[in-house]
Amino acid sequence: MNALVPLPVLLPLCVTGLKLVIGPRLHRFQRFISLAVLGAVLVLSVLLMVAADRHGPLSVHLGDFAPPVGITLVADRLSGLMLTVSSAVTLLVLVYSLGQGMADRDDQAPVGVFHPAYLILVAGVSCTFLAGDLVNLYVGFEIMLVASFVLLTIGGTATRIRAGSTYVIISLFSSVLFLVAIAMTYAVAGTVNFAQLAGRLQEVPIGVRTLLEAMLLTVFAIKAAVFPLAAWLPDSYPTAPAPVTAVFAGLLTKVGVYSMLRTQTLLFPGHRLGDLLMLAALASMAVGILGAVAQTDLKRVLSFTLISHIGYMVFGIGLAGRGSISGAIVYVAHHITVQTTLFLVAGLIERRDGTTELTRLGGLAKSAPLLAVLFFVPAMNLAGIPPLSGFIGKLGLMRAGVDAGGGWAWALVAGSAATSLLTLYVMAKVWNLAFWRDAPPGAEAEGVVLESAEDDEPGDDEDAEGAGTAGAAGGGGASGSGKATGSGSGLPVPAGAVVSAGFLGQSITTTKRLPWPMLAATGAAVALGLSYTVLGGPLTTLTQAAATELLARTPYIEAVLGR
């Protein structure tokens, strides 16, 4: 089974090279290959998770070079679970994006640009989860970030370029800080291999060790969007296409949380910065959920709830007990799935009504009951309504806080309960405005342009239908007044149609009938979130075993270095 460990990284990279050679030709073949590769990665991830649970961590030294020279990849219970959840989510988002791209008749660019970048993103995420040393953890981050730069600015609209610039600057700063931390670690320990560092860092002076811990935590807190290092997220994610926003919000921030889990338990046991982490967790919960309460755009609401719920995971890491680590792992798996699902639903709403601005939505429960169900289930799951998986994760964390005792622990238990209630309030607010109340007068007949590509040509009916619609908006969409007309045709858009952004930012005319692959992928994501409730017993058992393994450290070290 050890030979399977590198494949979740190698398969997407090899297929990306093949896709770049083929170019934008053979659209159906390229779509099939993308689905086949991500399906294979999902199967491999499940096999690795099961093998790691039964037989302990699996490790491989690429090229048969032993540490500290060689590249070490390790799959234990934690990385196996994270790989499985991330593979399932990325596969569903790919199906969603295929449905959106085909419906927009956007064959050329998604195959030529989106698919290679998306597969590279998957490879970077897999490399991060499997990395057995700091350098390859950094490499995984950089592979992931290079792909995310392309995906975030895909379409080249002014709004996306502006948001992407902020994201790039913050990411480059964190990467430089990460490199400095790696260099300092190597200078004091003579290695960057996790298994070797687990022993050698204990011999480093406490002040130096604390400095290294603080630098690495800062890097990972930026990646995970932990307050006060999260200001970049609400302005960056909502501007991207719906599939990109969904996979970014659901997955990329959790890579930072995973890195915190791995380094805090393996490299810095009994860490001195636990109180600081709990303060950051409490601040993330409070600032994030209060920011969500103040928003009127669905994508921005979800972006702020994302920041808030990162606090739950940091809460578990800060307590550093078996119960809290187990609860944090459950919550990471739950949140990857549920947050992705909610952003996919937001994309469906935006496609159907041309906007995610709550003040301009209404009546969706009556006019689109399936869409209402697809939103309601993950919304209640995010709020932690029993017996859903959000409740299971929060209950585990709060029980761990009560068992730990102390001022910070009790403060976080209270903060967790308040944040959960405010999350329920926010989800109820979205439900009442977008689904339950009647549609605002005139909303059905309005034409809306979310974004227009700067190089759209008048008269290009296939790629830029509806470019003459008044009122362009960035990010969450803005209303246009008057009647929409097709590009260059002078004909009005039919009643009930909406002029909205295509997959790459082109203005296209769509009707209120949503493509079935988008609905199917979103429904499967809802079902995946519900499966964590049905499989709550086995999931909790696995996460408790993973927490025990993380805190013991010995199984990981022996798997890499031998007994």
Side-chain angles (χ1 to χ4, degrees), residues 133-150:
D133 58 77
L134 282 173
V135 169
N136 284 289
L137 183 64
Y138 171 81
V139 170
F141 271 124
E142 293 309 299
I143 293 172
M144 181 179 66
L145 290 174
V146 167
S148 67
F149 296 159
V150 176

Side-chain angles (χ1 to χ4, degrees), residues 48 89 125 227 285 375 377 385 422 451 542:
L48 291 174
V89 165
V125 171
F227 184 84
M285 290 180 189
F375 172 82
V377 175
I385 300 299
L422 285 173
E451 290 178 355
L542 176 63

Side-chain angles (χ1 to χ4, degrees), residues 330-350:
V330 170
Y331 209 81
V332 170
H334 146 82
H335 200 257
I336 288 174
T337 307
V338 170
Q339 196 75 41
T340 301
T341 306
L342 287 170
F343 271 101
L344 292 180
V345 174
L348 292 174
I349 293 172
E350 184 177 47

Side-chain angles (χ1 to χ4, degrees), residues 66-69 184-206 208-209 212 266-269 553 557 561:
V69 177
M184 292 177 62
T185 302
Y186 186 79
V188 300
T191 184
V192 291
N193 184 274
F194 286 148
Q196 291 181 323
L197 284 173
R200 296 187 187 183
L201 282 179
Q202 306 312 307
E203 302 171 3
V204 173
I206 187 66
V208 176
R209 190 161 72 245
L212 294 176
L266 187 59
L267 305 187
F268 306 105
R553 305 197 303 159
I557 295 170
L561 302 179

